[in-house]
Each structure stands twice: as C-alpha cells, then as structure tokens.
Amino acid sequence: MPEEIIRSLSADGVRYGYRVLPYDRSGGAVPRTEPTLILGGALQGMFGWPQMDDHLGPAADVVTADLPGMGGADPLPPGPSADLLRRAVLGIADDLGAPRLNVFGFSYGTAIAFGFAQRHPERVARLALGGVPVHIDAAQVDCWERARRQLAAGDREGFAATAADALMCLDPERPVHRRELARRYVRRSFLHALTHSPHAADSLYRALADRPDFTGGLTGVPALVFAGEHDTVTSPARQREFADTVEGSRFLTIGESDHWVVLERAEEVASLVTGFFTGQEPVTGAQGGDGAVVLPRQATAPAGRT
C-alpha cells in the first residue's frame, strides 16, 4: 500500500495540514469513488481514523485533516470561525486537485462539512453526517459549563471525566456497546490533548461556545445522516428532523450506541459510510448476533419536494 502523504496549507495566515492515504493504483487500478475527506470532533485530528483507512483505503484516497484549531494546526483567531474552516476545506480540495470530494463529518465536524456542502455543492460528490449536534438542551449546556469551570480551575482530570460523561449515555437501562471502553478512551483522549496540544483548551472552549448553524437546507448533494440510537447530545428524532431539510437524504439509526457511535460501532460505521460513498445501499435490518442493528429511516420529504 502506498505511504501516506502529509501536506501543510494556510488560510488567512493560519497554518493547518492534511494527510492522504493514497489508493493503490499499481497495475492501473482505478479508485471506486472520489477522494474522501473525514472531519471529526473538536480534538480529533488527522491520525484518529484507522478504521476508516481500513475500509475506505481499498476504494479511494482517504483524506484526514488537522483543520485550524485542531491537532497540530495553528489556533483559531478570535471571532467567528465557520467561514475560515470552510475555506480551509476548500483549500484541501484545491490542493488535491480534486473536482469533487466525498465528505464525512462527525459531531463537531458535521457543521463544517454541512456548511461546506451548502456553499460549494459542486465540489461535494456525497455527504455523510453522523452525530449531528442540531439541538443542545439546557442540561447539556449546564454540564458543559461545569466542565469549563473545572478546566479553568486547572482540574484536567475532573474536566475530562465531566466532558466524557456529557457526551455519553450512562443510563444502565439503555444498552450501549463497549460503553465503558469508549468512556475510558474519551477521557484519555481529552487528557492527552490537554497535555500535548498548547491550544487544546482554547479549541474546546471554541467548540462549546460556537453554536453551529444547521439551517438553510441543502439540495443537489446525495446525503446520509446517521445517529446512535441513544445519542444524548442531540436525540435521533432531532437529527432526523435535520435530515428532512436535506433533499433526498437517507437517515439511519445504529443500535446500542450513543453519540460516540464511531467508537462503539467503529466497524459498522466504517462499513456504512464506505458503502454509501461507493454507491452500495446501506445495510438494513439486523447484522449478526451481537446487537448491531441498522434501521433504515428514510427522511420524509416536505410537501412539494420530490
């Protein structure tokens, strides 16, 4: 398999970078789909997606990024950041020389991916969005404010625990696959980022303070929206309402998972997204005997939409 490529770019003087795992074109092989860009949560940089490499690598160029404010990139400048982040994505597409990209956004990354597709639909072949934080309720806001106070007071352990718990369903009556494993992983990831990234705390503050905009709808881009069935950040019902604003989109829930579905159901998510980007129909019904369930919930088009 070809070695990965890492390139540096800048937008408005803010340095950022991206990584490409090239498709193996030896023997004249041709990718099955366009290059695929993966945009994750606030602290998920370019090296956090091995399961997507494994599934998408045999089908396409896999592109991950440290956008401004993430990973090893420069911190975001003061003020609104949405436009800068969208232009950073456009810079990646241009640098790749790719007329169109498949774009997969998860959690915080969904707002960047969705906003980019709205403004540059001609550059997006297909759009997949998971764990879309469309609506944050008062309880979530209170929890994040407590986490912010802990971080400001220098209590990194307390912050990591509070922040991880805020993103997970801890109700024992609602089964979540690998719940404790995911919980420990998220806590460690927060602590690692706070220890090793000089602007991780600022990135977290920005992610919490910037309210993403998911209004305005979208047409002309094939789209898949999926949620863990026990997502407590934004309910699947709310995420389905959002999917209704994306013309012709498909909405699915993934069983026994919460907002961290990409950790708890990593293989299922990677398979689902790869299938969508390569033109295969998403799996319907039960998969296997371990409780993994993907239920098709096609968004209902509003009146007047075909």
Side-chain angles (χ1 to χ4, degrees):
M1 181 175 289
E3 292 187 5
E4 65 183 24
I5 301 165
I6 297 177
R7 291 181 58 82
S8 295
L9 300 174
S10 65
D12 294 350
V14 180
R15 182 185 58 85
Y16 67 101
Y18 72 94
R19 163 191 170 272
V20 184
L21 179 64
Y23 175 78
D24 187 353
R25 291 170 170 81
S26 60
V30 178
R32 290 159 54 196
T33 188
E34 290 85 353
T36 297
L37 174 63
I38 302 167
L39 302 173
L43 294 181
Q44 288 181 292
M46 66 172 70
F47 297 109
W49 299 96
Q51 75 278 19
M52 302 304 297
D53 289 350
D54 292 343
H55 282 259
L56 277 165
D61 297 327
V62 183
V63 185
T64 57
D66 281 356
L67 293 181
M70 302 178 192
D74 288 344
L76 287 164
S81 60
D83 186 59
L84 173 62
L85 292 168
R86 288 191 293 265
R87 283 187 283 114
V89 172
L90 181 61
I92 292 173
D94 289 344
D95 196 61
L96 285 167
R100 298 197 304 169
L101 298 173
N102 294 316
V103 183
F104 170 35
F106 168 70
S107 190
Y108 178 80
T110 59
I112 304 168
F114 181 63
F116 179 74
Q118 282 183 310
R119 285 153 184 81
H120 302 284
E122 75 286 354
R123 303 299 297 271
V124 181
R126 299 170 192 83
L127 177 68
L129 303 173
V132 187
V134 180
H135 173 77
I136 307 298
D137 64 22
Q140 276 279 319
V141 172
D142 288 345
C143 188
W144 280 108
E145 285 300 321
R146 184 168 68 255
R148 290 179 65 175
R149 289 194 297 271
Q150 288 173 309
L151 186 57
D155 181 7
R156 292 183 174 184
E157 293 276 356
F159 167 83
T162 301
D165 290 356
L167 293 169
M168 308 193 76
C169 173
L170 302 179
D171 182 352
E173 299 300 315
R174 302 166 74 181
V176 173
H177 190 56
R178 299 174 179 167
R179 183 187 346 242
E180 286 307 312
L181 182 64
R183 190 181 186 186
R184 291 195 298 271
Y185 178 87
V186 173
R187 286 186 180 186
R188 287 198 303 269
S189 295
F190 281 145
L191 283 173
H192 182 271
L194 290 169
T195 301
H196 294 91
S197 174
H199 54 267
D202 178 69
S203 296
L204 284 167
Y205 284 140
R206 295 293 292 268
L208 299 177
D210 290 352
R211 287 291 177 257
D213 183 5
F214 293 102
T215 62
L218 178 64
T219 61
V221 177
L224 169 72
V225 181
F226 66 91
E229 70 168 329
H230 301 309
D231 193 329
T232 52
V233 175
T234 296
S235 71
R238 292 270 193 176
Q239 294 186 57
R240 185 179 183 182
E241 289 175 0
F242 161 73
D244 283 340
T245 72
V246 180
E247 182 177 2
S249 68
R250 181 183 293 270
F251 178 78
L252 303 102
T253 59
I254 299 181
E256 295 191 2
S257 60
D258 55 25
H259 187 71
W260 280 106
V261 59
V262 294
L263 294 178
E264 298 147 355
R265 293 293 185 187
E267 292 297 313
E268 289 88 341
V269 168
S271 178
L272 177 70
V273 172
T274 299
F276 175 66
F277 285 155
T278 56
Q280 300 172 13
E281 282 295 309
V283 176
T284 60
Q287 302 183 61
D290 65 351
V293 180
V294 179
L295 301 175
R297 303 215 177 147
Q298 180 68 43
T300 303
R305 180 192 296 177
T306 58

